[in-house]
Amino acid sequence: MSKNSRAVLAVSALLSVATVVAVHVQQRRERERLHSGVLRDLERQRQKKENIRLLEEQIALTKQLMEEREKARMEEGSQQS
């Protein structure tokens, strides 16, 4: 085998190996990106549930406050009579 053919074979083999490695690295990055997307979605869902819980708690507290104010107004009205 001539030196030129050996060089071409070596370069071809190196390019093939480099291509395979690059594809594997790209696939790993893509897998990690997809996984981080799932984690972000789970965090968003958790945050949404927490926001809904806080909103319901706030609604309940507001309702309780309104009832207490109404009760206080009624007591003031009955004391003035």
Side-chain angles (χ1 to χ4, degrees):
M1 219 166 31
S2 70
K3 287 184 179 182
N4 285 340
S5 61
R6 285 183 188 169
V8 168
L9 179 62
V11 169
S12 296
L14 286 175
L15 286 175
S16 296
V17 169
T19 301
V20 169
V21 169
V23 167
H24 283 291
V25 168
Q26 183 180 6
Q27 285 177 341
R28 187 174 342 126
R29 286 183 183 164
E30 182 69 15
R31 211 173 317 129
E32 289 171 359
R33 188 182 67 80
L34 290 173
H35 182 67
S36 66
V38 170
L39 295 178
R40 281 192 309 271
D41 287 346
L42 291 173
E43 177 60 25
R44 272 187 240 139
Q45 288 175 359
R46 186 199 64 76
Q47 186 63 45
K48 184 176 180 180
K49 286 179 183 178
E50 177 67 13
N51 289 344
I52 290 170
R53 186 192 65 77
L54 290 172
L55 179 61
E56 289 171 348
E57 183 179 315
Q58 187 66 36
I59 290 169
L61 289 171
T62 301
K63 185 177 180 181
Q64 180 182 3
L65 177 64
M66 297 303 268
E67 289 171 355
E68 289 175 2
R69 284 182 180 174
E70 185 63 31
K71 185 178 177 182
R73 283 187 200 139
M74 293 190 117
E75 288 177 357
E76 283 181 12
S78 65
Q79 289 177 358
Q80 289 179 358
S81 306

mmCIF file of all heavy atoms in Angstrom, residues 47-75:
data_model
loop_
_atom_site.group_PDB
_atom_site.id
_atom_site.type_symbol
_atom_site.label_atom_id
_atom_site.label_comp_id
_atom_site.label_asym_id
_atom_site.label_seq_id
_atom_site.Cartn_x
_atom_site.Cartn_y
_atom_site.Cartn_z
ATOM 1 N N GLN A 47 -45.445 24.886 40.953
ATOM 2 C CA GLN A 47 -45.649 26.294 41.262
ATOM 3 C C GLN A 47 -47.107 26.700 41.027
ATOM 4 O O GLN A 47 -47.684 27.456 41.799
ATOM 5 C CB GLN A 47 -44.717 27.168 40.415
ATOM 6 C CG GLN A 47 -44.754 28.638 40.785
ATOM 7 C CD GLN A 47 -44.292 28.892 42.193
ATOM 8 O OE1 GLN A 47 -43.295 28.348 42.637
ATOM 9 N NE2 GLN A 47 -45.022 29.724 42.927
ATOM 10 N N LYS A 48 -47.703 26.161 39.972
ATOM 11 C CA LYS A 48 -49.106 26.472 39.680
ATOM 12 C C LYS A 48 -50.004 25.961 40.801
ATOM 13 O O LYS A 48 -50.917 26.667 41.250
ATOM 14 C CB LYS A 48 -49.512 25.843 38.352
ATOM 15 C CG LYS A 48 -50.908 26.197 37.915
ATOM 16 C CD LYS A 48 -51.225 25.623 36.552
ATOM 17 C CE LYS A 48 -52.622 25.962 36.110
ATOM 18 N NZ LYS A 48 -52.939 25.399 34.793
ATOM 19 N N LYS A 49 -49.758 24.738 41.277
ATOM 20 C CA LYS A 49 -50.546 24.193 42.389
ATOM 21 C C LYS A 49 -50.376 25.048 43.639
ATOM 22 O O LYS A 49 -51.339 25.312 44.359
ATOM 23 C CB LYS A 49 -50.130 22.749 42.682
ATOM 24 C CG LYS A 49 -50.629 21.757 41.660
ATOM 25 C CD LYS A 49 -50.171 20.358 41.997
ATOM 26 C CE LYS A 49 -50.607 19.375 40.922
ATOM 27 N NZ LYS A 49 -50.123 18.011 41.212
ATOM 28 N N GLU A 50 -49.137 25.479 43.888
ATOM 29 C CA GLU A 50 -48.864 26.327 45.050
ATOM 30 C C GLU A 50 -49.591 27.660 44.912
ATOM 31 O O GLU A 50 -50.183 28.157 45.879
ATOM 32 C CB GLU A 50 -47.353 26.551 45.193
ATOM 33 C CG GLU A 50 -46.963 27.477 46.324
ATOM 34 C CD GLU A 50 -47.263 26.924 47.706
ATOM 35 O OE1 GLU A 50 -47.552 25.724 47.840
ATOM 36 O OE2 GLU A 50 -47.222 27.714 48.670
ATOM 37 N N ASN A 51 -49.584 28.244 43.720
ATOM 38 C CA ASN A 51 -50.288 29.508 43.495
ATOM 39 C C ASN A 51 -51.786 29.349 43.698
ATOM 40 O O ASN A 51 -52.435 30.220 44.285
ATOM 41 C CB ASN A 51 -49.995 30.040 42.085
ATOM 42 C CG ASN A 51 -48.589 30.545 41.933
ATOM 43 O OD1 ASN A 51 -47.894 30.777 42.912
ATOM 44 N ND2 ASN A 51 -48.151 30.700 40.695
ATOM 45 N N ILE A 52 -52.352 28.241 43.219
ATOM 46 C CA ILE A 52 -53.781 27.984 43.399
ATOM 47 C C ILE A 52 -54.101 27.819 44.887
ATOM 48 O O ILE A 52 -55.097 28.350 45.378
ATOM 49 C CB ILE A 52 -54.225 26.757 42.580
ATOM 50 C CG1 ILE A 52 -54.185 27.087 41.085
ATOM 51 C CG2 ILE A 52 -55.606 26.291 42.993
ATOM 52 C CD1 ILE A 52 -54.379 25.895 40.172
ATOM 53 N N ARG A 53 -53.248 27.101 45.602
ATOM 54 C CA ARG A 53 -53.449 26.918 47.038
ATOM 55 C C ARG A 53 -53.416 28.260 47.762
ATOM 56 O O ARG A 53 -54.279 28.556 48.601
ATOM 57 C CB ARG A 53 -52.386 25.989 47.621
ATOM 58 C CG ARG A 53 -52.615 25.637 49.090
ATOM 59 C CD ARG A 53 -51.416 24.967 49.712
ATOM 60 N NE ARG A 53 -50.250 25.809 49.787
ATOM 61 C CZ ARG A 53 -50.067 26.781 50.695
ATOM 62 N NH1 ARG A 53 -50.996 27.052 51.587
ATOM 63 N NH2 ARG A 53 -48.958 27.495 50.707
ATOM 64 N N LEU A 54 -52.439 29.098 47.405
ATOM 65 C CA LEU A 54 -52.343 30.420 48.038
ATOM 66 C C LEU A 54 -53.561 31.291 47.696
ATOM 67 O O LEU A 54 -54.068 32.017 48.544
ATOM 68 C CB LEU A 54 -51.052 31.125 47.610
ATOM 69 C CG LEU A 54 -49.757 30.536 48.165
ATOM 70 C CD1 LEU A 54 -48.554 31.198 47.524
ATOM 71 C CD2 LEU A 54 -49.716 30.663 49.675
ATOM 72 N N LEU A 55 -54.015 31.201 46.462
ATOM 73 C CA LEU A 55 -55.193 31.972 46.050
ATOM 74 C C LEU A 55 -56.424 31.523 46.823
ATOM 75 O O LEU A 55 -57.202 32.366 47.317
ATOM 76 C CB LEU A 55 -55.423 31.818 44.547
ATOM 77 C CG LEU A 55 -56.629 32.544 43.975
ATOM 78 C CD1 LEU A 55 -56.507 34.049 44.178
ATOM 79 C CD2 LEU A 55 -56.806 32.205 42.506
ATOM 80 N N GLU A 56 -56.615 30.212 46.960
ATOM 81 C CA GLU A 56 -57.761 29.699 47.715
ATOM 82 C C GLU A 56 -57.679 30.124 49.183
ATOM 83 O O GLU A 56 -58.691 30.490 49.791
ATOM 84 C CB GLU A 56 -57.835 28.181 47.594
ATOM 85 C CG GLU A 56 -58.255 27.722 46.210
ATOM 86 C CD GLU A 56 -58.133 26.221 46.013
ATOM 87 O OE1 GLU A 56 -57.512 25.540 46.861
ATOM 88 O OE2 GLU A 56 -58.667 25.732 44.995
ATOM 89 N N GLU A 57 -56.477 30.098 49.725
ATOM 90 C CA GLU A 57 -56.283 30.528 51.106
ATOM 91 C C GLU A 57 -56.620 32.018 51.237
ATOM 92 O O GLU A 57 -57.291 32.436 52.191
ATOM 93 C CB GLU A 57 -54.835 30.277 51.515
ATOM 94 C CG GLU A 57 -54.520 30.619 52.945
ATOM 95 C CD GLU A 57 -53.070 30.310 53.284
ATOM 96 O OE1 GLU A 57 -52.580 29.237 52.910
ATOM 97 O OE2 GLU A 57 -52.444 31.168 53.923
ATOM 98 N N GLN A 58 -56.174 32.809 50.278
ATOM 99 C CA GLN A 58 -56.456 34.236 50.302
ATOM 100 C C GLN A 58 -57.957 34.510 50.179
ATOM 101 O O GLN A 58 -58.503 35.374 50.867
ATOM 102 C CB GLN A 58 -55.699 34.942 49.169
ATOM 103 C CG GLN A 58 -55.797 36.447 49.215
ATOM 104 C CD GLN A 58 -55.107 37.029 50.434
ATOM 105 O OE1 GLN A 58 -54.084 36.540 50.866
ATOM 106 N NE2 GLN A 58 -55.677 38.075 50.990
ATOM 107 N N ILE A 59 -58.625 33.759 49.316
ATOM 108 C CA ILE A 59 -60.079 33.913 49.153
ATOM 109 C C ILE A 59 -60.793 33.586 50.464
ATOM 110 O O ILE A 59 -61.703 34.302 50.887
ATOM 111 C CB ILE A 59 -60.598 33.036 47.990
ATOM 112 C CG1 ILE A 59 -60.109 33.603 46.653
ATOM 113 C CG2 ILE A 59 -62.111 32.922 48.011
ATOM 114 C CD1 ILE A 59 -60.339 32.688 45.466
ATOM 115 N N ALA A 60 -60.371 32.503 51.115
ATOM 116 C CA ALA A 60 -60.990 32.111 52.387
ATOM 117 C C ALA A 60 -60.758 33.178 53.453
ATOM 118 O O ALA A 60 -61.679 33.526 54.205
ATOM 119 C CB ALA A 60 -60.443 30.766 52.844
ATOM 120 N N LEU A 61 -59.536 33.725 53.509
ATOM 121 C CA LEU A 61 -59.246 34.763 54.494
ATOM 122 C C LEU A 61 -60.045 36.038 54.209
ATOM 123 O O LEU A 61 -60.529 36.691 55.133
ATOM 124 C CB LEU A 61 -57.745 35.072 54.513
ATOM 125 C CG LEU A 61 -56.855 33.981 55.114
ATOM 126 C CD1 LEU A 61 -55.388 34.312 54.885
ATOM 127 C CD2 LEU A 61 -57.143 33.802 56.589
ATOM 128 N N THR A 62 -60.181 36.381 52.944
ATOM 129 C CA THR A 62 -60.964 37.565 52.571
ATOM 130 C C THR A 62 -62.423 37.376 52.957
ATOM 131 O O THR A 62 -63.057 38.289 53.503
ATOM 132 C CB THR A 62 -60.842 37.832 51.051
ATOM 133 O OG1 THR A 62 -59.469 38.019 50.725
ATOM 134 C CG2 THR A 62 -61.639 39.049 50.634
ATOM 135 N N LYS A 63 -62.945 36.194 52.712
ATOM 136 C CA LYS A 63 -64.338 35.889 53.073
ATOM 137 C C LYS A 63 -64.525 35.989 54.585
ATOM 138 O O LYS A 63 -65.493 36.574 55.066
ATOM 139 C CB LYS A 63 -64.711 34.499 52.581
ATOM 140 C CG LYS A 63 -66.139 34.137 52.794
ATOM 141 C CD LYS A 63 -66.450 32.770 52.212
ATOM 142 C CE LYS A 63 -67.910 32.397 52.440
ATOM 143 N NZ LYS A 63 -68.224 31.066 51.914
ATOM 144 N N GLN A 64 -63.574 35.447 55.331
ATOM 145 C CA GLN A 64 -63.640 35.495 56.786
ATOM 146 C C GLN A 64 -63.590 36.942 57.272
ATOM 147 O O GLN A 64 -64.349 37.340 58.160
ATOM 148 C CB GLN A 64 -62.476 34.701 57.379
ATOM 149 C CG GLN A 64 -62.455 34.676 58.888
ATOM 150 C CD GLN A 64 -61.250 33.915 59.425
ATOM 151 O OE1 GLN A 64 -60.409 33.451 58.664
ATOM 152 N NE2 GLN A 64 -61.162 33.804 60.733
ATOM 153 N N LEU A 65 -62.727 37.755 56.668
ATOM 154 C CA LEU A 65 -62.615 39.154 57.047
ATOM 155 C C LEU A 65 -63.913 39.904 56.762
ATOM 156 O O LEU A 65 -64.380 40.691 57.588
ATOM 157 C CB LEU A 65 -61.455 39.817 56.297
ATOM 158 C CG LEU A 65 -61.255 41.315 56.528
ATOM 159 C CD1 LEU A 65 -60.903 41.576 57.988
ATOM 160 C CD2 LEU A 65 -60.180 41.853 55.609
ATOM 161 N N MET A 66 -64.497 39.649 55.609
ATOM 162 C CA MET A 66 -65.755 40.314 55.249
ATOM 163 C C MET A 66 -66.862 39.925 56.238
ATOM 164 O O MET A 66 -67.666 40.774 56.646
ATOM 165 C CB MET A 66 -66.158 39.959 53.817
ATOM 166 C CG MET A 66 -65.163 40.440 52.775
ATOM 167 S SD MET A 66 -64.890 42.198 52.835
ATOM 168 C CE MET A 66 -66.116 42.705 51.671
ATOM 169 N N GLU A 67 -66.906 38.646 56.618
ATOM 170 C CA GLU A 67 -67.912 38.198 57.585
ATOM 171 C C GLU A 67 -67.702 38.869 58.936
ATOM 172 O O GLU A 67 -68.663 39.299 59.583
ATOM 173 C CB GLU A 67 -67.862 36.679 57.732
ATOM 174 C CG GLU A 67 -68.376 35.929 56.526
ATOM 175 C CD GLU A 67 -68.119 34.428 56.599
ATOM 176 O OE1 GLU A 67 -67.447 33.962 57.549
ATOM 177 O OE2 GLU A 67 -68.602 33.720 55.688
ATOM 178 N N GLU A 68 -66.432 38.993 59.357
ATOM 179 C CA GLU A 68 -66.140 39.641 60.634
ATOM 180 C C GLU A 68 -66.516 41.119 60.581
ATOM 181 O O GLU A 68 -67.043 41.670 61.552
ATOM 182 C CB GLU A 68 -64.673 39.462 60.996
ATOM 183 C CG GLU A 68 -64.327 38.048 61.396
ATOM 184 C CD GLU A 68 -62.843 37.845 61.635
ATOM 185 O OE1 GLU A 68 -62.058 38.824 61.535
ATOM 186 O OE2 GLU A 68 -62.449 36.702 61.921
ATOM 187 N N ARG A 69 -66.244 41.781 59.471
ATOM 188 C CA ARG A 69 -66.614 43.193 59.329
ATOM 189 C C ARG A 69 -68.134 43.365 59.374
ATOM 190 O O ARG A 69 -68.653 44.285 60.006
ATOM 191 C CB ARG A 69 -66.066 43.767 58.022
ATOM 192 C CG ARG A 69 -64.596 44.049 58.061
ATOM 193 C CD ARG A 69 -64.142 44.664 56.749
ATOM 194 N NE ARG A 69 -62.714 44.939 56.780
ATOM 195 C CZ ARG A 69 -62.025 45.366 55.739
ATOM 196 N NH1 ARG A 69 -62.624 45.556 54.577
ATOM 197 N NH2 ARG A 69 -60.740 45.600 55.849
ATOM 198 N N GLU A 70 -68.832 42.492 58.672
ATOM 199 C CA GLU A 70 -70.292 42.555 58.655
ATOM 200 C C GLU A 70 -70.854 42.322 60.055
ATOM 201 O O GLU A 70 -71.774 43.014 60.495
ATOM 202 C CB GLU A 70 -70.856 41.521 57.672
ATOM 203 C CG GLU A 70 -72.347 41.583 57.493
ATOM 204 C CD GLU A 70 -72.822 42.898 56.886
ATOM 205 O OE1 GLU A 70 -72.077 43.510 56.101
ATOM 206 O OE2 GLU A 70 -73.952 43.309 57.220
ATOM 207 N N LYS A 71 -70.268 41.376 60.778
ATOM 208 C CA LYS A 71 -70.694 41.092 62.143
ATOM 209 C C LYS A 71 -70.432 42.301 63.038
ATOM 210 O O LYS A 71 -71.291 42.676 63.849
ATOM 211 C CB LYS A 71 -69.948 39.866 62.673
ATOM 212 C CG LYS A 71 -70.382 39.413 64.031
ATOM 213 C CD LYS A 71 -69.619 38.170 64.441
ATOM 214 C CE LYS A 71 -69.987 37.733 65.838
ATOM 215 N NZ LYS A 71 -69.219 36.560 66.278
ATOM 216 N N ALA A 72 -69.290 42.936 62.843
ATOM 217 C CA ALA A 72 -68.962 44.120 63.638
ATOM 218 C C ALA A 72 -69.925 45.262 63.320
ATOM 219 O O ALA A 72 -70.356 45.982 64.231
ATOM 220 C CB ALA A 72 -67.525 44.548 63.376
ATOM 221 N N ARG A 73 -70.300 45.436 62.067
ATOM 222 C CA ARG A 73 -71.255 46.481 61.692
ATOM 223 C C ARG A 73 -72.622 46.212 62.320
ATOM 224 O O ARG A 73 -73.295 47.140 62.779
ATOM 225 C CB ARG A 73 -71.396 46.547 60.168
ATOM 226 C CG ARG A 73 -70.259 47.229 59.491
ATOM 227 C CD ARG A 73 -70.538 47.408 57.998
ATOM 228 N NE ARG A 73 -69.275 47.627 57.314
ATOM 229 C CZ ARG A 73 -68.936 47.112 56.158
ATOM 230 N NH1 ARG A 73 -69.770 46.323 55.513
ATOM 231 N NH2 ARG A 73 -67.775 47.386 55.621
ATOM 232 N N MET A 74 -73.021 44.951 62.309
ATOM 233 C CA MET A 74 -74.319 44.609 62.899
ATOM 234 C C MET A 74 -74.302 44.870 64.402
ATOM 235 O O MET A 74 -75.293 45.356 64.968
ATOM 236 C CB MET A 74 -74.671 43.157 62.602
ATOM 237 C CG MET A 74 -74.938 42.885 61.152
ATOM 238 S SD MET A 74 -75.617 41.258 60.987
ATOM 239 C CE MET A 74 -77.213 41.693 60.331
ATOM 240 N N GLU A 75 -73.199 44.565 65.061
ATOM 241 C CA GLU A 75 -73.090 44.817 66.499
ATOM 242 C C GLU A 75 -73.117 46.309 66.782
ATOM 243 O O GLU A 75 -73.743 46.759 67.749
ATOM 244 C CB GLU A 75 -71.815 44.178 67.059
ATOM 245 C CG GLU A 75 -71.867 42.678 67.128
ATOM 246 C CD GLU A 75 -70.572 42.045 67.606
ATOM 247 O OE1 GLU A 75 -69.589 42.788 67.841
ATOM 248 O OE2 GLU A 75 -70.528 40.816 67.708
#
